[in-house]
Amino acid sequence: MHAGKSLLLRGSLCLSILLSFSTVTAQVADQLQKKPYKIDTLVQSLDSPWSLAFLPNGDYLITELGGKLRRVKDGKLLEQAINGVPAVYYAGQGGLFDVVVDREFASNQKIYLSFAFGDANGNATRLISARLLDDSLVDIKVLFTAKPLKQTPHHYGGRVVQLSDGTLLLTVGDGFNYREQAQKLNSHLGKIIRINQDGKAPADNPWANDGNALPQIWSIGHRNEQALVLTPNGIVFENEHGPRGGDEINIIRAASNYGWPVITQGIDYNGASITPYTEYAGMQQPLVSWTPSIAPAGMTYYTGSQFPEWQGDLLVVSLAQKSVRRIDLDGESVKTDERLFPELNQRMRDIRTGPDGSIYILSDGANGQLLRISTN
Amino acid sequence: MPRIIHLALAFVAAVVLTAVLSSIFSTQFVIAGLQDLGVDIPLRVRFKMTLGDLSILETLLMVISTCFLIAFLIAGLCSSKLKGNRIAWYMAAGASAFFVTFLVLEAVLQLMPVAGARTGFGLFTQAIAGLIGGYVFARLTPKNCLTPTNDATNNASQGEA
């Protein structure tokens, strides 16, 4: 009788331990499965959104490729687009590109817009400045128009960043059919250019005093730039599409030659060679190269507080691979390149770090969305 | 040899030769563009790149087959109905086929898909490849080969090469 009772007790104890263990195991599994972040859809029904900027009052500005500049106020997309945006050449890859808020916006209300200007017979990447008063652009000034004009609606570049000295960097693509011009100093195609806020070329630009070169040129040898990012310590990162393969992230330095079309890891879309070389004297190697192509688009240097383990890393969205990639940086070298947020399996156009440390993403296409990723 | 087999072999020969020439011509223009930038391309590198670019033959063969099929049918019809020099008809058809195809592709894609045809002279050399293709097809096939009313009497009376 006593022995039977003891057996029952021991059995109950084992069962309790087993149950407790399975409960703990389930809790641990739950914890592991629970994502440390959440993804909120803030805005929907954007028509091919391209770029996102944050205003000091908490509003967002979003460009749509077709030529509209939209405002998001209190989390809601305003029905009425901003008035006064100049007509853009909306064809192929052309349209309204980047919007950048001036460092002194609170006092000057100035923003910068880049877009495709012209028509099928002659078009170019153009940069303007304007003051944003209420929901209208005023005091519009054309700061820069790339030359020569081209006849293809492709490879515009159009990303803008304002350096700490107030000057502006603008990417200008090679126009696809004009790739050799990326190496020529008498053409803006395939370059990154630097101008003052009044549109003039700064006197300390690398070719400012070369009579045979365009004075705005800052770096050469680019193909189809998609992003331009300035870090707090002054490093400029750029990414660009290669042809078939050879997508790149580069560290941009004045007077540097990034090689296109003399060096590339990619080949032409029809399979032919662009060049026999992947390296050549005087030409920079990319920091990151993707072959096959992922078609990188927007990029941000993460400095936010919500994901401290990613501070100082580049986050890149892609169109073809439909991914968000984290480039884990150690200064100016790459430690790892990994994919984040696998559930975001869609073409994405832009990614930004918000003032609140959240990550903001614009999806690509006719029904574009503004997504916010923040900690749970 | 049955006429259809004869025709098919001649067509394949013309298409393959044209595709090879098209690829070689395009590569030389790409290399010339790089040399114009001051890039050193030794003969060995040129040869290797030219050979390597023959990998695009698969794409070229599809495009050229389609455009030659239409062009040679029209050339055969013109040669039969309008008379004139039969070989010249096929050469003109081959060149025109290339020219039109590239222009249509450029209009649709809004870019030139073959790098060697981006300039007027480059496009001209591509048309030359088509012209040679037309010549080869005409030389390898009998007169009035594409018309159902082909007969020996008509051929003899036309007296064309």
Side-chain angles (χ1 to χ4, degrees), chain A residues 11-91:
Chain A
S12 302
L13 190 64
C14 283
L15 191 63
S16 304
I17 290 170
L18 204 63
L19 281 172
S20 303
F21 180 74
S22 62
T23 307
V24 169
T25 307
Q27 283 172 348
V28 169
D30 274 355
Q31 284 293 323
L32 286 175
Q33 282 176 1
K34 199 171 181 183
K35 292 168 188 164
Y37 59 86
K38 60 177 179 175
I39 301 175
D40 298 311
T41 303
L42 300 185
V43 175
Q44 300 194 71
S45 304
L46 292 162
D47 188 5
S48 298
W50 211 90
S51 179
L52 168 69
F54 303 97
L55 291 172
N57 68 353
D59 292 356
Y60 316 141
L61 295 176
I62 297 172
T63 57
E64 292 178 326
L65 192 63
K68 286 184 179 172
L69 179 61
R70 311 292 299 270
R71 184 196 286 265
V72 178
K73 192 172 192 60
D74 301 326
K76 297 231 166 35
L77 179 70
L78 299 188
E79 195 75 25
Q80 181 67 41
I82 305 283
N83 294 311
V85 175
V88 305
Y89 176 48
Y90 180 43

Side-chain angles (χ1 to χ4, degrees), chain A residues 83-141:
Chain A
N83 294 311
V85 175
V88 305
Y89 176 48
Y90 180 43
Q93 297 169 351
L96 180 59
F97 303 131
D98 214 352
V99 54
V100 169
V101 175
D102 189 88
R103 289 171 177 274
E104 309 295 330
F105 179 87
S107 60
N108 64 16
Q109 299 87 44
K110 198 189 278 188
I111 65 167
Y112 304 95
L113 289 174
S114 63
F115 57 92
F117 155 82
D119 55 34
N121 294 318
N123 61 80
T125 308
R126 172 170 277 188
L127 178 64
I128 63 165
S129 67
R131 289 173 66 222
L132 177 62
L133 296 183
D134 298 324
D135 283 324
S136 294
L137 295 185
V138 298
D139 298 339
I140 295 173
K141 292 177 184 142

Side-chain angles (χ1 to χ4, degrees), chain A residues 138-331:
Chain A
V138 298
D139 298 339
I140 295 173
K141 292 177 184 142
V142 176
L143 304 182
F144 174 81
T145 304
K147 64 180 185 184
L149 298 182
K150 58 192 183 64
Q151 293 180 311
T152 54
H154 305 292
H155 295 199
Y156 287 92
R159 286 290 184 189
V160 183
V161 84
Q162 187 174 30
L163 300 179
S164 55
D165 63 0
T167 59
L168 300 156
L169 292 183
L170 167 71
T171 64
V172 182
D174 74 346
F176 192 95
N177 276 6
Y178 311 86
R179 65 192 188 205
E180 287 82 6
Q181 292 196 28
Q183 289 292 323
K184 296 183 178 174
L185 292 171
N186 61 357
S187 167
H188 289 127
L189 300 182
K191 308 293 186 314
I192 293 177
I193 64 108
R194 175 173 172 251
I195 56 173
N196 289 321
Q197 290 174 45
D198 61 2
K200 290 181 182 160
D204 60 347
N205 268 4
W207 288 281
N209 299 315
D210 183 339
N212 297 316
L214 293 169
Q216 300 91 349
I217 295 174
W218 184 251
S219 64
I220 72 172
H222 301 285
R223 184 176 181 269
N224 187 13
E225 307 99 324
Q226 298 291 314
L228 198 59
V229 170
L230 174 70
T231 70
N233 51 0
I235 300 171
V236 176
F237 290 96
E238 170 256 18
N239 76 39
E240 62 185 65
H241 289 177
R244 221 167 89 185
D247 293 346
E248 297 178 350
I249 296 179
N250 295 297
I251 298 176
I252 301 301
R253 294 189 172 91
S256 289
N257 184 344
Y258 293 87
W260 177 258
V262 180
I263 58 171
T264 177
Q265 297 285 343
I267 56 173
D268 212 341
Y269 293 111
N270 61 14
S273 303
I274 301 286
T275 168
Y277 299 122
T278 53
E279 50 187 68
Y280 202 83
M283 297 183 183
Q284 304 297 314
Q285 287 295 313
L287 177 72
V288 175
S289 178
W290 286 291
T291 300
S293 292
I294 68 165
M299 180 164 72
T300 185
Y301 182 81
Y302 188 76
T303 51
S305 54
Q306 296 213 22
F307 302 97
E309 66 276 24
W310 296 341
Q311 285 175 355
D313 295 344
L314 290 170
L315 304 181
V316 187
V317 290
S318 75
L319 297 161
Q321 197 186 50
K322 301 178 179 175
S323 63
V324 181
R325 303 205 70 88
R326 180 174 77 98
I327 313 299
D328 187 359
L329 292 173
D330 182 9

Side-chain angles (χ1 to χ4, degrees), chain B residues 97-114:
Chain B
F98 249 70
F99 201 68
V100 169
T101 301
F102 278 120
L103 291 185
V104 167
L105 281 173
E106 187 175 36
V108 171
L109 301 173
Q110 298 179 298
L111 51 84
M112 180 52 81
V114 175

